[in-house]
Amino acid sequence: MNFNVSVNNLSLTYGSYPALKDVSFILNEPKIYGLLGRNGAGKTSLLSILASFREQTGGTIAIGGEAPFENAEIMKHVSFIFNKDYKDESDNVKESLEYVGRYRSQFDAEYADYLVEKFKLPLKKPIKEFSKGMQSALNVTIGLASRSPITIFDEAYLGMDAPTRDIFYRELLEDQSNYPRIIILSTHLVSEMDYLFDEVIILHKGSIVLQEDFESLVTKGSSITGAAEVVDEFVHPMKQLNSQQLGNTKSVMVYGELSEHDRKVARQRGLEIGPISLQDLFIHLTEGDD
């Protein structure tokens, strides 16, 4: 079965507050999609609709051509990994993984055991006594080992230290290479995780700002550096994201692909053209009043 995701004019309101407004996008390839947004942008609201934890107020969503809400046949193929509260649960790791395995037909118990060892998780200790980082490591173990056609990680790394996050990232890339599926990573750790993304979706104030292939997105931004007056003249017709000046030297971030002619002119005028990061683009594309 094809598990493509199609979202059309999706909206969600909490009382009179619009959490999501006319959101439309398509996920039709087995890729790692980075869902980026500032706190309160609507990321978790959107993902909870994709995972059928709640129903949208307006618009449509289809997974494999079917509406997923209260659709057991669709939802057994979707895994939503979020920061679960384990304080009232007495299960240990072994019991928890056995439970997941009963309800996920693609679940790989051998791979789950490998990840448990990799993350150094104690098998018999109740999960509610784990540190936040250990609970997050268990969550991503479940998400990776489930191998669901649609796997969603909503800031699932919270509490993990840097070495543990690195294990998660490496395992994610390797398992995606071996078992391709649609993986959605929601994050605000843009600079740390950008190399994981095949495609980027930026959500701002409940609306999609852009959806674009990662490689083409980062080539659309440049930094132009040189004498202030020359830089100002060169970037005048361009979309400017940010500028910094020290003495007579100025650097301006611009968004939009530079033509060969632009690059030639820049060199002739003594200007330096450099790349800008996804984080730079993210920050400036989501600027504005909160």
Side-chain angles (χ1 to χ4, degrees):
M1 183 176 177
N2 190 322
F3 290 97
N4 292 355
V5 178
S6 178
V7 174
N8 189 38
N9 296 328
L10 194 76
S11 63
L12 178 69
T13 57
Y14 298 114
S16 60
Y17 175 71
L20 297 170
K21 298 172 282 190
D22 293 325
V23 170
S24 298
F25 60 87
I26 294 174
L27 311 181
N28 57 11
E29 293 183 59
K31 293 180 177 180
I32 298 178
Y33 296 87
L35 178 63
L36 313 182
R38 297 168 66 183
N39 290 336
K43 299 189 302 297
T44 297
S45 293
L46 175 58
L47 296 177
S48 63
I49 293 173
L50 285 176
S52 287
F53 278 43
R54 59 166 54 94
E55 192 174 15
Q56 69 270 22
T57 307
T60 61
I61 173 173
I63 296 177
E66 298 182 32
F69 190 71
E70 296 183 342
N71 185 333
E73 186 56 37
I74 293 293
M75 294 322 301
K76 70 183 182 182
H77 298 293
V78 179
S79 291
F80 184 30
I81 307 303
F82 58 98
N83 289 287
K84 187 177 177 182
D85 186 350
Y86 286 100
K87 69 180 180 182
D88 296 322
E89 296 194 20
S90 57
D91 284 358
N92 59 30
V93 167
K94 186 172 183 293
E95 292 163 339
S96 181
L97 293 178
E98 285 174 352
Y99 175 81
V100 175
R102 285 197 292 271
Y103 295 96
R104 298 289 176 187
S105 59
Q106 295 103 330
F107 187 79
D108 187 331
E110 191 175 324
Y111 181 49
D113 290 343
Y114 161 82
L115 291 173
V116 165
E117 188 173 331
K118 196 85 172 172
F119 286 124
K120 298 182 172 58
L121 298 178
L123 286 171
K124 296 181 180 178
K125 186 176 182 179
I127 299 165
K128 65 182 178 182
E129 296 178 12
F130 280 14
S131 68
K132 183 61 188 167
M134 290 168 66
Q135 289 180 356
S136 293
L138 174 61
N139 288 341
V140 302
T141 294
I142 291 169
L144 290 171
S146 293
R147 299 225 171 96
S148 300
I150 298 174
T151 303
I152 301 167
F153 294 99
D154 186 14
E155 306 222 9
Y157 51 77
L158 292 181
M160 290 183 182
D161 57 22
T164 307
R165 292 198 304 273
D166 187 58
I167 292 171
F168 170 41
Y169 302 157
R170 283 189 278 115
E171 290 297 332
L172 177 76
L173 287 174
E174 185 170 348
D175 205 57
Q176 174 70 347
S177 175
N178 295 328
Y179 301 92
R181 64 266 208 198
I182 289 175
I183 292 178
I184 303 172
L185 289 179
S186 164
T187 184
H188 62 265
L189 291 180
V190 181
S191 61
E192 181 175 294
M193 297 176 69
D194 59 4
Y195 73 99
L196 300 171
F197 307 144
D198 299 306
E199 197 165 305
V200 175
I201 300 170
I202 296 181
L203 192 64
H204 183 50
K205 296 181 181 177
S207 298
I208 298 289
V209 176
L210 64 79
Q211 178 183 6
E212 192 153 348
D213 175 81
F214 172 76
E215 293 298 335
S216 63
L217 178 60
V218 294
T219 61
K220 286 189 175 177
S222 304
S223 65
I224 313 297
T225 306
E229 288 183 8
V230 181
V231 169
D232 285 340
E233 183 183 356
F234 181 78
V235 302
H236 177 68
M238 302 175 182
K239 181 174 181 179
Q240 299 170 38
L241 301 180
N242 188 33
S243 65
Q244 294 178 319
Q245 186 165 346
L246 184 62
N248 190 44
T249 301
K250 189 170 187 178
S251 181
V252 177
M253 268 188 231
V254 297
Y255 183 64
E257 235 166 318
L258 297 179
S259 67
E260 270 311 309
H261 175 71
D262 291 332
R263 293 178 181 277
K264 184 179 179 181
V265 170
R267 287 193 296 269
Q268 289 172 345
R269 297 182 184 179
L271 300 177
E272 181 182 329
I273 299 176
I276 63 175
S277 67
L278 177 60
Q279 175 153 303
D280 290 331
L281 285 170
F282 168 65
I283 289 170
H284 295 291
L285 290 171
T286 59
E287 277 186 331
D289 298 332
D290 289 326

